[in-house]
Amino acid sequence: MKHTKKMLAAALAVCLTMAGCGSKGEVPVQQVGALLQMSAGTAAEKFDGVVVSENAVEIKREGEKKIKELYVAEGDAVKEGEKLFCYDSDELSLSLDKLKLELDRLGATIDEKKKQIASVESDLQYAAGSEATQLNIQLRQLQTELTQADYDKEAKQKEVDYTQKMLDDVDVKSPITGTVRKINETGDGPYMTIQQSDAYEVKGMLNELSLGAGIMEGVPVTIVSRMDPTKTWTGTVSRVDYNSAQNGSQNSENVHYMGSSFGSENPMTSSTSYPFYIKLDSTDGLLLGQHVYIQASGSGAVGAGQLEIPDSFLMNLHYNDKDGCNVAEVWAADSNGKLQLVEVVLAEYDPAMGAYPVIKGVTETDYIADPSNPDCKEGAKADHRSESDFAGNSQTDEPEMDQMPETIPADAEIPVDGVNSGVDASGDAVGQGD
């Protein structure tokens, strides 16, 4: 029992010496490629996305016109001004002829009413008594009939003009460039729906467990091809639709957690998701319905965008007017494990990650130090274990037996199970029972 206590006391003494930092004068350094994941405190996430077009045009059938010929099918790509279908012009021609005959008849009726009114007005000049009364009644009746005939003629003229326009526009053309999504032959609703193809955006689903993943309105993102990760597009989150919440199980089809996974039995997998949309800087090479990955720019995932350095690791940050870019310095470990000042050239600040994209100066495999460490200086020894590696974990950081000190000062007090116990020169704990 005493031997066991000696070993425990020795191990605790060494762990306390190591906790919190490296050896005196050594500076912990961290790999640049892992900085953003470590500073964010979470693994980088990527989201499944699909290329969509929110702009659609509905084309309605004109009246009861019959369609003579359909030039496109569902799924066809069409250009603006391209013929979609044509109406039956024969039926339209017959209808127009009939309308014109009715218009001529109304014209003749109006002329006849005007003649009758003129005749009655002439007779009234010589009439008196009951005859005059009868003529006045007849005149008012003719004037009412004339007003109605004028109204009917005006309405019929509109029908003639409308039918003539339909006959002139027998070919219906697409008002936009896009894809024919639906052709409705039932007569209910619009006859054809065309989805615009030159206004693509990417739609993703943001799970409530991922609200801290950097997806919010105005944040720049990178779109990565699922088939070829070297093909990427850039864009900005235009909106997160919190009004269209969807309840369900989170799975790899919606959200991918890099470095972690949740099984279906995990109670955390049942949660709410919200659709979000990406406004693209360019749609070249994208197809409507194409499935892609969405990554908040600078989140550190492979193929997700440029390497970035958190601003807390930068010193002497300033804008270089000559080169038109940001310039700063970092404490970097050289090939001999010594710290040196290295100049880095940076792109525009990424507010979503609190970091600057790197143009040149360091790579993702380089190691840099936190400049707030007082031991940072030219030539200081770099300790390639990060600060989190000095936590004294009993499984990973327990010292080997040959690393334990041979003797422990007689006046040393080592905490055992939360109680300070004196340790004699031989390493026996005192004040505790065997």
Side-chain angles (χ1 to χ4, degrees), residues 168-194:
D168 294 338
D169 298 332
V170 66
D171 290 320
V172 177
K173 302 176 181 179
S174 176
I176 60 171
T177 297
T179 302
V180 179
R181 283 300 170 205
K182 185 176 182 180
I183 298 175
N184 182 10
E185 299 285 3
T186 65
D188 298 326
Y191 176 67
M192 186 177 295
T193 302
I194 301 176

Side-chain angles (χ1 to χ4, degrees), residues 178-393:
T179 302
V180 179
R181 283 300 170 205
K182 185 176 182 180
I183 298 175
N184 182 10
E185 299 285 3
T186 65
D188 298 326
Y191 176 67
M192 186 177 295
T193 302
I194 301 176
Q195 203 160 25
Q196 192 170 352
S197 62
D198 55 358
Y200 287 164
E201 45 184 9
V202 174
K203 177 182 179 180
M205 295 300 294
L206 178 63
N207 191 275
E208 66 180 353
L209 302 179
S210 308
L211 292 179
I215 299 297
M216 62 188 70
E217 187 172 337
V219 168
V221 298
T222 300
I223 307 301
V224 184
S225 170
R226 296 183 68 167
M227 300 298 296
D228 184 356
T230 64
K231 293 182 178 180
T232 61
W233 297 262
T234 57
T236 305
V237 179
S238 60
R239 67 189 186 281
V240 179
D241 190 357
Y242 291 107
N243 294 321
S244 300
Q246 299 180 14
N247 294 319
S249 296
Q250 170 192 316
N251 54 54
S252 59
E253 290 302 314
N254 292 327
V255 182
H256 295 263
Y257 290 84
M258 298 179 63
S260 64
S261 62
F262 296 105
S264 59
E265 71 280 358
N266 193 313
M268 293 291 287
T269 60
S270 182
S271 55
T272 303
S273 297
Y274 308 92
F276 65 94
Y277 298 87
I278 310 301
K279 181 180 180 181
L280 297 165
D281 297 325
S282 172
T283 60
D284 293 343
L286 284 173
L287 300 174
L288 192 64
Q290 179 178 347
H291 288 266
V292 295
Y293 290 127
I294 304 169
Q295 182 77 50
S297 296
S299 61
V302 176
Q306 285 185 288
L307 182 69
E308 298 192 3
I309 298 180
D311 52 10
S312 60
F313 279 76
L314 302 173
M315 300 176 294
N316 304 322
L317 177 65
H318 63 280
Y319 185 77
N320 188 320
D321 293 325
K322 180 179 179 181
D323 297 329
C325 56
N326 296 301
V327 178
E329 292 178 319
V330 295
W331 285 113
D334 62 17
S335 59
N336 297 317
K338 303 291 185 180
L339 288 189
Q340 62 177 349
L341 280 176
V342 173
E343 184 179 78
V344 289
V345 180
L346 309 166
E348 187 177 350
Y349 181 64
D350 180 357
M353 301 304 298
Y356 286 86
V358 177
I359 297 176
K360 63 179 180 179
V362 293
T363 67
E364 63 180 6
T365 58
D366 288 328
Y367 286 81
I368 63 176
D370 184 343
S372 65
N373 191 316
D375 291 327
C376 284
K377 61 183 178 180
E378 195 77 29
K381 185 177 180 180
D383 193 324
H384 287 70
R385 292 175 294 174
S386 68
E387 293 180 1
S388 61
D389 292 327
F390 295 101
N393 185 290

Side-chain angles (χ1 to χ4, degrees), residues 44-86:
E45 295 175 90
K46 63 180 178 180
F47 301 84
D48 277 342
V50 62
V51 180
V52 299
S53 175
E54 294 298 307
N55 297 330
V57 173
E58 296 180 343
I59 298 175
K60 297 180 180 180
R61 190 187 307 224
E62 297 286 352
E64 298 299 325
K65 290 191 297 183
K66 291 183 179 180
I67 293 176
K68 182 177 182 180
E69 187 173 358
L70 182 63
Y71 302 122
V72 296
E74 290 183 356
D76 285 355
V78 294
K79 296 181 178 180
E80 182 178 352
E82 183 177 342
K83 291 181 181 180
L84 301 174
F85 58 91
C86 68

Side-chain angles (χ1 to χ4, degrees), residues 89-109:
S89 59
D90 293 339
E91 185 173 337
L92 281 173
S93 295
L94 291 174
S95 178
L96 181 60
D97 290 341
K98 180 180 178 181
L99 289 171
K100 286 181 176 180
L101 286 175
E102 294 176 355
L103 186 64
D104 290 341
R105 179 181 59 77
L106 287 170
T109 298

